[in-house]
């Protein structure tokens, strides 16, 4: 191992202990058995490890830097959240250090380690492992260690980790979309997109089925299809649905997916909203540039960012903050939906 790059995770692995144990030995904050302490100290001495000031618990002055880790930074949704978080960070006189990854858990873990080593005052996590229904143990362990050491805010569920939650009301967002379409007279409504292992999508699927039951509407398996969060899958899944019984309205998992759905509808010689009404989620610029502009349900991005950043800053500065906060979503009605006669 390179002395310059060694971290507490590698020390923990070589010493056969947890990262938290390494931290306790460095900080002398809790009792550790002498045998484990000697194993950790031996590895530290062997590689000349010099823990950063934060890890040693010696940092009395803050860096005024927040670390933000985001999945799919090129997504309009995450891009909008990050943009608003940057504004909110500037308002609090902090600097934002951003790291992004796609779907690579190893890259996600490396970025978390790097933020820790850079002595950020707090960490904000958008998506990634924390949005999974099941999290692999290695990712959970590293996120848990970071959260024990640095105030950590997740946009989603805490998953049992000692961090702060700022959640979008995904179920409420779906209920809003469904109630809107039902108020327009729709009774045959499909919901398309979202991966099976993503919790935020699961929340929407469960809410979709609850609203169907509430109004006594038929649930058809072919009208609730999985799909990735991109244009291509929106196009593919909508084509598949149009080969069977056609719903009068379709809800897409996000605006990009919904744009793909609308393209598939056009290619089948059908029109939005005359033949099929369409609603998406996230209210990104995509919903406004498609033709016709698409109705979309989304939270207030400024409110979301202020809660994420405000929680991170307040926790870093020692103020008491709520363990969990919920951000509501509202409907942005546009001409992609029509009232049935």
């Amino acid at each position: 191992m390179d002395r310059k790059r060694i971290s507490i995770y590698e020390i923990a692995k070589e010493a056969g202990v947890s990262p938290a144990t390494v931290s306790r030995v460095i900080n002398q904050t809790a009792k550790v058995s002498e045998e484990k302490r000697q194993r950790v100290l031996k590895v530290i001495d062997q590689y000349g490890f010099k823990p950063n000031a934060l890890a040693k618990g010696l940092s009395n002055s803050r860096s005024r830097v927040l670390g933000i880790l985001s999945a799919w930074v090129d997504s309009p949704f995450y891009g909008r959240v990050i943009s608003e978080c940057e504004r909110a960070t500037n308002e609090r006189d902090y600097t934002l250090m951003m790291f992004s990854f796609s779907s690579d858990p190893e890259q996600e873990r490396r970025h978390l380690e790097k933020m820790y080593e850079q002595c950020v005052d707090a960490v904000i996590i958008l998506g990634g492992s924390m949005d999974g229904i099941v999290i692999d143990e290695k990712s959970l362990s590293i996120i848990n260690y970071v959260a024990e050491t640095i105030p950590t805010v997740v946009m989603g569920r805490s998953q049992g980790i000692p961090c702060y939650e700022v959640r979008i009301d995904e179920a409420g967002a779906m209920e809003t979309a469904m109630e809107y379409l039902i108020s327009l007279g729709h009774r045959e409504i499909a919901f398309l997109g979202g991966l099976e292992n993503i919790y935020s999508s699961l929340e929407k699927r469960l809410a979709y089925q609850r609203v169907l039951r509430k109004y006594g509407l038929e649930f058809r398996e072919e009208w609730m299809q999985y799909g990735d969060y991109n244009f291509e899958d929106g196009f593919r899944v909508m084509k598949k649905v149009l080969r069977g019984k056609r719903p009068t309205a379709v809800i897409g998992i996000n605006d990009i997916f919904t744009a793909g759905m609308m393209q598939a509808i056009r290619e089948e010689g059908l029109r939005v909203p005359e033949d099929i009404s369409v609603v998406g989620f996230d209210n990104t610029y995509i919903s406004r540039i498609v033709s016709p502009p698409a109705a979309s349900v989304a939270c207030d991005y400024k409110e979301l960012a202020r809660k994420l950043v405000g929680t991170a800053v307040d926790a870093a500065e020692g103020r008491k903050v709520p363990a969990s906060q919920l951000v509501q979503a509202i409907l942005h009605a546009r001409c992609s939906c029509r009232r049935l006669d």
Side-chain angles (χ1 to χ4, degrees), residues 26-165:
I26 293 169
N27 296 327
Q28 300 180 22
T29 54
K31 187 174 180 180
V32 176
S33 72
E34 184 61 21
E35 186 265 337
K36 286 184 179 179
R37 191 175 78 85
Q38 289 300 326
R39 276 158 43 195
V40 171
L41 291 175
K42 182 179 178 181
V43 178
I44 287 175
D45 182 64
Q46 180 179 350
Y47 293 105
F49 174 69
K50 292 181 173 54
N52 62 40
L54 179 61
K56 291 171 67 177
L58 300 177
S59 178
N60 295 319
S61 60
R62 295 185 298 274
S63 65
R64 303 198 71 81
V65 175
L66 303 180
I68 189 165
L69 179 63
S70 175
W72 299 108
V73 71
D74 56 346
S75 136
F77 170 74
Y78 285 113
R80 180 75 185 278
V81 174
I82 291 168
S83 177
E84 293 297 342
C85 281
E86 186 171 25
R87 290 189 181 92
T89 303
N90 291 338
E91 289 173 2
R92 298 296 296 264
D93 196 27
Y94 274 69
T95 300
L96 198 64
M97 179 186 293
M98 192 191 75
F99 294 85
S100 67
F101 63 98
S102 52
S103 57
D104 182 356
E106 187 59 38
Q107 187 181 40
E108 180 183 15
R109 291 191 287 268
R110 286 198 304 270
H111 287 334
L112 279 167
E113 182 178 333
K114 179 59 67 176
M115 282 192 282
Y116 170 84
E117 292 171 351
Q118 292 294 319
C119 297
V120 298
D121 286 344
V123 172
I124 299 171
I125 301 175
L126 311 176
S129 294
M130 295 298 286
D131 200 23
I133 293 173
V134 178
I135 303 181
D136 72 273
E137 189 173 343
K138 190 173 181 182
S139 293
L140 199 63
S141 176
I142 291 176
I143 296 170
N144 186 63
Y145 174 75
V146 171
E148 286 180 346
T149 312
I150 308 168
T152 301
V153 184
V154 296
M155 189 178 72
R157 299 180 304 151
S158 63
Q159 303 275 24
I161 291 172
C163 59
Y164 303 95
E165 295 181 349

Side-chain angles (χ1 to χ4, degrees), residues 252-268:
I253 190 63
N254 64 18
D255 292 337
I256 300 177
F257 188 97
T258 300
M261 292 183 347
M262 293 172 72
Q263 179 65 24
I265 291 169
R266 281 192 294 271
E267 287 202 5
E268 291 297 314

